[in-house]
Amino acid sequence: MIIGVPKEIKNNENRVALTPGGAKELIKRGHRVYIQHSAGEGSGFSDDEYTAAGAAILPTIEEVYGIAEMIIKVKEPIEPEYKLIKEGQLLFTYFHFASYEPLTKAMVESKSICLAYETVEKADRSLPLLVPMSEVAGRMAIQKGANYLEKPLKGRGILLGGVPGVLPAKVLILGGGIVGTQAAWMAAGLGADVTIMDVSLPRMRYLADVMPANVKTMMSNEYNVRKMIKDADLIVGAVLIPGAKAPHLITRDMLKEMKPGTVLVDVAVDQGGCIETCKPTTHENPTYVIDDVVHYCVANMPGAVPYTSTLALTNATLPYAIQLADKGWKKAAQENAELVPGLNIINGDIVYKAVAEAFNMDYVPVEKYLS
């Protein structure tokens, strides 16, 4: 198979979808890999490292899309890329369709095959290609939140872990999944007073068993959320419904109940956000203030630590990329059920129900293409 890796053009996105080591594994199996010039530089990988692994370098993004049967990316295509995508071309990347209708419509019109990292799913309902970036984003949420609690950055002026004789900051985490768990570990390690809210009692029992003493659990409902936000200094939105838009757990009217300088970090922003007042921001302009509450809503948080993120992502995606390259998307999905829910759009048909429902568009069962 001919595989193309374009350079990411989203604002301040420095990750690359394939390391030189990953390229070598594909090339060993007889596939051809084309890397856009300087695509890996943001993550610390030079063109020379890719050529040493056997990949070819192409100067422009147009040439990469033009030659490739499968495009491997990190983030969803953005508008300048829409016209480059060909009918029947396989795109393997994060899409988060349910949060952005223009992207969904553009991919439907392209008649490409869109296989989304975030909805590849194991039998136990875990999301193996979302986990590594969720781990990075969860840890970064605390790192960034602690930073924006500083007064010069419009925060309350609180040190997350406090000092002897001064209480630490209160951190509220909405969601006890991968992001929430990693955020809790980081916040706890820095000495904060941490509360995780979730709707699953089994999950909260597990977290209560494994977390340190400064992490508490609490049932998530509107009454409890309203109660907890009044004292929180840092609130992390970490709610995920696979493939669907995140629910709003914090609404606009709740901001007035928070202390001035409270910091909100919405990690779910690329799925529409679980905080109503959050809208996607960039690493260039990461925050804005509403009702004296600081909002940090960067949609590609792991892009700020691209070396770590690229290695973690390739570790997870490469086994699937090899299957897709060796067998083609249809046979690979027929033989590996984990890939089936990853298929979101095929030849102009939306085959992932939550995406169709998000925009009231027609849904076609994926079995039409796999039977």
Side-chain angles (χ1 to χ4, degrees):
M1 186 177 277
I2 301 170
I3 298 156
V5 180
K7 185 173 183 176
E8 300 293 325
I9 57 175
K10 190 162 187 166
N11 183 288
N12 275 281
E13 180 51 73
N14 292 298
R15 289 173 289 180
V16 65
L18 199 63
T19 62
K24 191 173 186 67
E25 289 303 312
L26 287 160
I27 291 161
K28 273 166 47 180
R29 288 166 168 79
H31 305 295
R32 284 188 280 164
V33 176
Y34 291 89
I35 310 286
Q36 186 183 342
H37 167 61
S38 74
E41 283 183 0
S43 295
F45 302 115
S46 67
D47 286 353
D48 288 345
E49 290 176 84
Y50 285 105
T51 54
I57 305 297
L58 290 176
T60 67
I61 193 169
E62 289 82 5
E63 288 172 276
V64 174
Y65 274 98
I67 200 169
E69 296 167 297
M70 173 165 69
I71 292 286
I72 306 179
K73 280 177 51 59
V74 177
K75 293 301 289 180
E76 74 284 349
I78 61 176
E79 196 170 342
E81 294 172 274
Y82 294 170
K83 64 183 183 297
L84 304 178
I85 296 163
K86 302 177 294 187
E87 182 174 346
Q89 193 169 46
L90 172 61
L91 275 73
F92 190 37
T93 187
Y94 288 116
F95 280 105
H96 300 289
F97 280 120
S99 65
Y100 194 52
E101 189 172 4
L103 171 67
T104 306
K105 288 184 171 177
M107 294 304 100
V108 166
E109 288 169 13
S110 75
K111 295 192 182 316
S112 59
I113 292 91
C114 299
L115 210 161
Y117 290 163
E118 72 273 9
T119 57
V120 171
E121 189 176 298
K122 288 183 173 288
D124 63 2
R125 303 299 307 276
S126 64
L127 305 169
L129 306 189
L130 201 57
V131 165
M133 295 304 94
S134 295
E135 290 170 334
V136 172
R139 294 180 179 213
M140 280 191 69
I142 301 303
Q143 191 170 296
K144 292 295 183 182
N147 187 32
Y148 284 100
L149 277 172
E150 295 174 10
K151 197 67 177 178
L153 298 174
K154 313 292 187 191
R156 291 199 67 225
I158 290 181
L159 184 65
L160 203 70
V163 291
V166 180
L167 290 172
K170 290 183 183 291
V171 176
L172 177 63
I173 298 169
L174 304 174
I178 302 294
V179 170
T181 301
Q182 296 297 321
W185 279 118
M186 281 290 279
L190 289 168
D193 179 352
V194 185
T195 302
I196 306 177
M197 302 187 81
D198 202 279
V199 293
S200 167
L201 275 173
R203 183 65 182 175
M204 285 190 283
R205 287 191 183 103
Y206 166 76
L207 292 170
D209 283 343
V210 301
M211 285 289 169
N214 56 330
V215 178
K216 301 171 287 293
T217 59
M218 189 175 191
M219 179 58 71
S220 179
N221 55 48
E222 185 180 344
Y223 180 86
N224 285 346
V225 169
R226 284 186 181 274
K227 179 181 175 182
M228 295 300 294
I229 61 174
K230 292 175 183 177
D231 290 325
D233 301 300
L234 168 60
I235 301 172
V236 176
V239 175
L240 173 75
I241 298 175
K245 200 170 185 301
H248 288 153
L249 300 189
I250 292 181
T251 54
R252 172 67 195 259
D253 65 293
M254 292 183 185
L255 299 191
K256 296 193 184 326
E257 299 178 37
M258 299 177 189
K259 293 179 287 192
T262 298
V263 174
L264 304 180
V265 179
D266 195 345
V267 184
V269 70
D270 54 8
Q271 278 299 103
C274 62
I275 297 167
E276 186 179 10
T277 46
C278 272
K279 60 180 188 290
T281 60
T282 65
H283 291 293
E284 202 167 67
N285 296 294
T287 63
Y288 55 91
V289 178
I290 299 176
D291 292 342
D292 294 323
V293 173
V294 179
H295 293 59
Y296 179 95
C297 309
V298 175
N300 61 328
M301 288 173 65
V305 286
Y307 181 77
T308 299
S309 297
T310 291
L311 289 169
L313 183 61
T314 300
N315 288 344
T317 58
L318 185 61
Y320 295 96
I322 288 170
Q323 292 172 45
L324 293 166
D326 285 351
K327 302 171 184 177
W329 68 267
K330 187 176 289 189
K331 189 179 180 191
Q334 287 168 337
E335 294 183 7
N336 183 355
E338 295 173 12
L339 285 167
V340 175
L343 290 163
N344 280 214
I345 296 174
I346 301 174
N347 295 344
D349 289 332
I350 298 176
V351 297
Y352 196 89
K353 199 167 190 178
V355 173
E357 289 174 348
F359 307 118
N360 197 26
M361 295 170 75
D362 291 337
Y363 163 69
V364 176
V366 72
E367 288 73 25
K368 170 186 171 182
Y369 291 95
L370 298 181
S371 59

